[in-house]
Amino acid sequence: GAVVSQHPSWVICKSGTSVKIECRSLDFQATTMFWYRQFPKQSLMLMATSNEGSKATYEQGVEKDKFLINHASLTLSTLTVTSAHPEDSSFYICSARGLAGTRNQPQHFGDGTRLSIL
Amino acid sequence: DQQVKQNSPSLSVQEGRISILNCDYTNSMFDYFLWYKKYPAEGPTFLISISSIKDKNEDGRFTVFLNKSAKHLSLHIVPSQPGDSAVYFCAASARTSGSRLTFGEGTQLTVNP
């Protein structure tokens, strides 16, 4: 089945640090990637939709200058949490969808990144 | 505004019996529904989906039922196995929102040996 790789799986860093998370589709080309955030015992909340070669679309309430998204190729999207603070600590998960025009193709998820800001 | 709701945070069943996980939605524009399974510290894994033109979709031990008039879907797992113990999320999307998925809060399923 489709595989999405997310790296790193765990990050612990000091407040004020910027953290980059990578999401790669390993065996398919992902025209669209999605970034989610999950707080404990809560649902996955979509942060932004990343389309290859264009600007990301952010959900309401998500600061685009805080969460920088780059989708430079069909197999890689990155999320950079800039100047991270303790309230940014969360579980971040990416997902990828294959070819454009197939809306009902399920998204495949990475294993997530646990971000802890001290 | 929680458009997709899973009202049961947890469910416990005996091995071999049927597990029924429920999901309700409010947005009548949703026309595609999915179930994902998630283990701790891992990303969700796609299980099964259903389009609004159907009312049932079956894949092995997993069957999803959709009742559009009630805006309700359910996932049946039979027979349940201890390895099915995980958090199950239902998700929905609307044609007008492209691929954007809206997730429920999840239900923790525990299958006891």
Side-chain angles (χ1 to χ4, degrees):
Chain A
V3 178
V4 174
S5 173
Q6 189 172 338
H7 177 81
S9 57
W10 197 299
V11 180
I12 302 175
C13 57
K14 293 182 180 179
S15 184
T17 307
S18 291
V19 178
K20 180 186 281 190
I21 303 169
E22 292 188 349
C23 181
R24 294 180 185 272
S25 56
L26 297 185
D27 56 358
F28 66 103
Q29 292 184 326
T31 54
T32 307
M33 289 186 173
F34 303 86
W35 288 96
Y36 294 84
R37 183 173 180 176
Q38 186 186 23
F39 292 104
K41 298 190 187 300
Q42 293 189 24
S43 179
L44 284 79
M45 299 299 296
L46 179 64
M47 297 174 66
T49 301
S50 169
N51 293 298
E52 187 267 337
S54 64
K55 289 184 178 180
T57 304
Y58 290 81
E59 295 298 304
Q60 192 173 7
V62 178
E63 299 175 57
K64 59 182 178 182
D65 295 331
K66 174 75 171 177
F67 300 99
L68 300 178
I69 291 172
N70 184 283
H71 192 162
S73 78
L74 285 171
T75 59
L76 174 65
S77 176
T78 61
L79 168 69
T80 301
V81 183
T82 61
S83 187
H85 289 96
E87 59 267 27
D88 298 321
S89 299
S90 189
F91 191 56
Y92 293 87
I93 309 176
C94 72
S95 72
R97 192 178 70 91
L99 299 173
T102 54
R103 182 179 74 93
N104 287 351
Q105 187 173 20
Q107 294 176 25
H108 299 280
F109 287 80
D111 280 344
T113 298
R114 172 78 54 197
L115 177 62
S116 297
I117 308 298
L118 305 176
Chain B
D1 176 27
Q2 189 69 23
Q3 297 186 57
V4 178
K5 288 189 68 63
Q6 294 175 255
N7 291 313
S8 298
S10 63
L11 174 67
S12 184
V13 300
Q14 207 64 30
E15 181 178 6
R17 305 295 290 269
I18 185 171
S19 296
I20 300 176
L21 298 123
N22 294 302
C23 180
D24 297 290
Y25 62 95
T26 58
N27 188 342
S28 58
M29 299 301 291
F30 287 147
D31 62 352
Y32 183 59
F33 305 88
L34 309 89
W35 283 94
Y36 284 86
K37 173 181 178 180
K38 184 180 182 301
Y39 294 114
E42 292 184 12
T45 302
F46 169 73
L47 271 179
I48 192 169
S49 64
I50 189 167
S51 165
S52 61
I53 62 173
K54 292 185 168 185
D55 54 18
K56 177 183 175 181
N57 189 26
E58 192 172 351
D59 183 3
R61 296 186 298 115
F62 302 93
T63 303
V64 56
F65 294 92
L66 175 62
N67 182 333
K68 288 186 291 294
S69 60
K71 293 191 176 68
H72 177 83
L73 66 154
S74 60
L75 174 68
H76 293 211
I77 306 173
V78 56
S80 301
Q81 300 172 354
D84 296 329
S85 298
V87 177
Y88 288 78
F89 289 96
C90 71
S93 75
R95 184 181 304 277
T96 53
S97 301
S99 305
R100 187 179 181 278
L101 289 179
T102 302
F103 282 84
E105 308 95 323
T107 297
Q108 171 70 57
L109 173 66
T110 302
V111 180
N112 300 303

